[in-house]
Amino acid sequence: MTVVEVLFLLLGLVAAGSALLVVTTRTMVHAALWLVVTLGAVAGIFLLLAAEFVAWVQILIYVGAVVVLLLFALMLTKAPTGPQPDLDARRALPAVAVAGLVLAVLGTTVVAGFHGVELDLDGAVVGSAQTTGATIFQQWVLPFEVLSVLLLAALVGAIVLSRGTGRRGGE
Amino acid sequence: MPLWWPLLLSSLLFAIGVYGVLVRRNAVLVLMGVELMLNAVNLNLVAFDAYFRDVLHGGQTFALFVIVIAAAEIGLGLAIVLLVFRTHGQIDVDTMRELADREEPAVAER
Amino acid sequence: MAELVEVLLRVAVVLLAFLVVPLLVGQVEHKAMAHMQSRVGPMYAGGFHGWAQLVADGVKFVQKEDVVPAAADRTVFKMAPAVALLPYLVAMVAIPIGPGLVGQDLDIGLFFVVAVMGVGVVGTLMGGWSSANKFSLLGGIRVAAQLMAYELPFVLAAASVAMAAGTLSLTGIVEAWNPWWLLWQAPAALVFFVAGLAELQRPPFDIPVADAELVFGPYTEYGGLRFALFILAEYAGIVVLSALTAVLFLGGWHGPWEDQVGWLWTLAKTGLVAFVVVWVRVAYPRLREDQLQRLAWQGLVPLVLFQLAVTAIGVVVMSS
């Protein structure tokens, strides 16, 4: 086992374990904090898989913005401090069945499909800012621009949604 | 490292996300499940990028795009959640049935 | 072996700087603020002008009882100060003070520092939520609202200077720096500094801890060593923000005799910016929450977008 493999297994365990806690914990804010751990571990795996830039974007966008937004929403919707008994609907069993089915199908597909294929990370081109920037602005310019339109639409949508009650009051 | 390791981890994260989306009642927690699923997709993309040694870095670029879409999704999602909280006083997704089909057939207005 | 020793040495130096420099800033705040308000500030501890005041404060904090509110979420409550403090330590590793004088020179250093600094706020949010105190919770909400408003201009201002330099490496940015950038990048520097102040919740942006309204915001329930860690995080944040401003916008080690005393220039510029941070605290009253949001969205964001356009034009004109 190489160092990379050991690190991957450790980070993978952390990611999977904390992800399980995200969906099972009884305290709402704990779920957000465990999500931070999951996202951090996945960012670490990105670093191992030669995706340096993606890893730091993940930290900046997810931990710095998305989780803060989630915490903000939890606080604004009056999430109680203590554990809540009724966070889950009474359909845990079907949910476990569906999730297990998803895992079985996806898992067997990838293991059967890529069994024995080695991922060679020695000498892989690290996705630094330069390589990522060059590919985005040379090969993927059109998707990039479409994405910016999507963001603009989301921005306008969020503003319209947030103003909703004010307009109704004016009628 | 065998290629199926990251792929299996990604499948596991995705399944956990599916479970979270199905079982949680609080809308914000449902969104967290969606984030887990999106992250699983990213892991998959990055793993295949490293495997194919793609000179275009398609996998990593798409992972970046997915992160952007996730940010847009969470912004809109939380705006909706806060609006629902303002009008309903709670954000339990099970009780939001205003747009559902009623038990009795709808009476024609005219 | 020699490499390992070097790495350990660099880490040790960064750790030492992390422990000493924030205290220096704290002492400057005590004394400079006092003199600006026609007071003398601490005079007794240590003898000469109270130089040991913060050491005495530290001893006092250590002696205090470690109190956790009964209704608090104990684990989160106890972890929050560490989560608030550690990111600044990690950020310091990537900030260069001279050519080669850097904990770890990263290819995407700027991105790294900005990303890591955003994590520290999670610590404050954890503290605000887990205290089970309404003032703490309100403070936490204000922290989140403030962060979301100011993260955008902060990152865009940093992006402007990265565009101008054509690199994300902090060392590379200083090397590409030119004195006339002081003019060209002036709006970005202003936005960066103001947004950074707001992210650190320093006055006049200390709405989350506004002591007249919220007792002490997210830190209300903290005492003893954990409170001291939050305060240390604030001072470490000032150091990181000042050093970043000096490196990105004021040219780092550029100055007369830069080959011999370049690192002194960086430290001097950092000290100057840190002094301005203290000065601003004395000079301006606290903003209201609506004024805060208006400043971010109607002031800083349009300004920095304009700056980005100017930077883009400048880069294109100069490269052709």
Side-chain angles (χ1 to χ4, degrees), chain C residues 29-161:
Chain C
E29 175 158 75
H30 273 329
K31 295 304 279 189
M33 209 165 84
H35 284 288
M36 285 174 187
Q37 296 170 337
S38 302
R39 300 182 284 123
V40 288
M43 287 298 283
Y44 297 102
F48 179 72
H49 283 264
W51 65 271
Q53 179 61 43
L54 284 173
V55 180
D57 277 348
V59 173
K60 182 190 76 178
F61 278 131
V62 170
Q63 286 171 339
K64 285 193 172 180
E65 190 190 350
D66 183 23
V67 182
V68 180
D73 190 316
R74 297 187 70 87
T75 336
V76 178
F77 185 84
K78 289 185 169 178
M79 270 171 52
V83 177
L85 184 59
L86 276 181
Y88 294 115
L89 175 61
V90 177
M92 263 189 192
V93 170
I95 297 178
I97 58 168
L101 282 175
V102 51
Q104 182 66 48
D105 193 15
L106 293 169
D107 173 44
I108 50 172
L110 178 60
F111 213 88
F112 173 81
V113 174
V114 172
V116 166
M117 274 179 81
V119 178
V121 178
V122 175
T124 314
L125 286 178
M126 285 164 69
W129 172 77
S130 67
S131 300
N133 174 318
K134 60 185 166 194
F135 297 116
S136 301
L137 185 63
L138 281 175
I141 292 177
R142 287 185 179 189
V143 169
Q146 189 161 328
L147 177 88
M148 272 180 277
Y150 283 87
E151 181 86 355
L152 183 66
F154 188 73
V155 174
L156 286 181
S160 163
V161 77

Side-chain angles (χ1 to χ4, degrees), chain C residues 95-97 170 173-174 177 242-252 266:
Chain C
I95 297 178
I97 58 168
L170 288 171
I173 287 174
V174 177
W177 189 82
S242 308
L244 266 184
T245 312
V247 164
L248 292 178
F249 296 101
L250 304 179
T266 317

Side-chain angles (χ1 to χ4, degrees), chain C residues 163 184 306-320:
Chain C
M163 264 167 71
W184 185 29
F306 171 73
Q307 165 74 72
L308 275 177
V310 170
T311 308
I313 292 169
V315 168
V316 171
V317 166
M318 276 190 296
S319 66
S320 61

